[in-house]
Amino acid sequence: MLAYLVRHAESLTNAQQSAGMNPSLSPLGIRQVQALDRRFAHTQFTALYSSPFRRCLETAEPMAAGKSCPIRIRPDLHECYYLPQDRRLDTELPGLSQVLAAHPGTAVCEDWRGPVNWPSVHETREDLFARMRGFADYLKQRWGETDVAVLIISHGSPLAKLVDAWLTEAPGPSYRYAIDNATVTALRFEKGVGTLVCLNERSHLVGLPAPEVANFETSGAIKPQRPPLR
């Protein structure tokens, strides 16, 4: 099995054009999705999984168009917000029926066995690692040794922890893996071993401006310091 991980394209919040928790894509984000769509035009996905947030579904929809698999919404791919203990957050996510109605071609993953809700409470890094460990185990059990490709659209922190869970037994620091908007990370599972094929690959984004929050410059040079988080 080959799993492609894509962080959603740049959102209006990433671009400092919105302060919302459930923003749409920015104009640059739309161009990034077009680049992703061209990159994966000849890749046949057996399954496509997405976070329920609008920026993820807007990233997934063009890549799902014309392909034979629906966008499977997974509540466990939702964004992570490190909130003070017992504080709740309004993620601005509507109910499931509204999400499905607003995004034709989506469906709740048929293998999802948990409650279909959008958690909004404090989540520790250990909790996030456990959540993504569960999703990694699901992928390995569901697709196992089969020769298929699946696509996962989520957020920076969950995808970084998914890489961690794929490769290690214990969570590392939150900044161990830097996942940029619209970049591609690939994981392989073969003969019971999970491997990292590529991390944060961005050849399809060459020629596009680099967002301020990216780890790379428009020239392709890597920034020596981590960019601000948004």
Side-chain angles (χ1 to χ4, degrees), residues 145-213:
E145 303 293 334
T146 59
D147 186 19
V148 303
V150 300
L151 177 63
I152 297 100
I153 312 290
S154 186
H155 310 266
S157 293
L159 290 180
K161 288 303 181 191
L162 178 55
V163 175
D164 227 356
W166 198 268
L167 301 174
T168 67
E169 294 299 322
S174 59
Y175 49 83
R176 171 178 283 173
Y177 302 107
I179 309 295
D180 278 313
N181 292 118
T183 59
V184 175
T185 294
L187 303 171
R188 182 181 286 126
F189 185 67
E190 184 178 16
K191 298 181 180 178
V193 177
T195 57
L196 175 65
V197 180
C198 68
L199 179 73
N200 231 31
E201 208 283 318
R202 57 171 298 273
S203 60
H204 53 290
L205 300 178
V206 171
L208 293 179
E212 183 181 343
V213 296

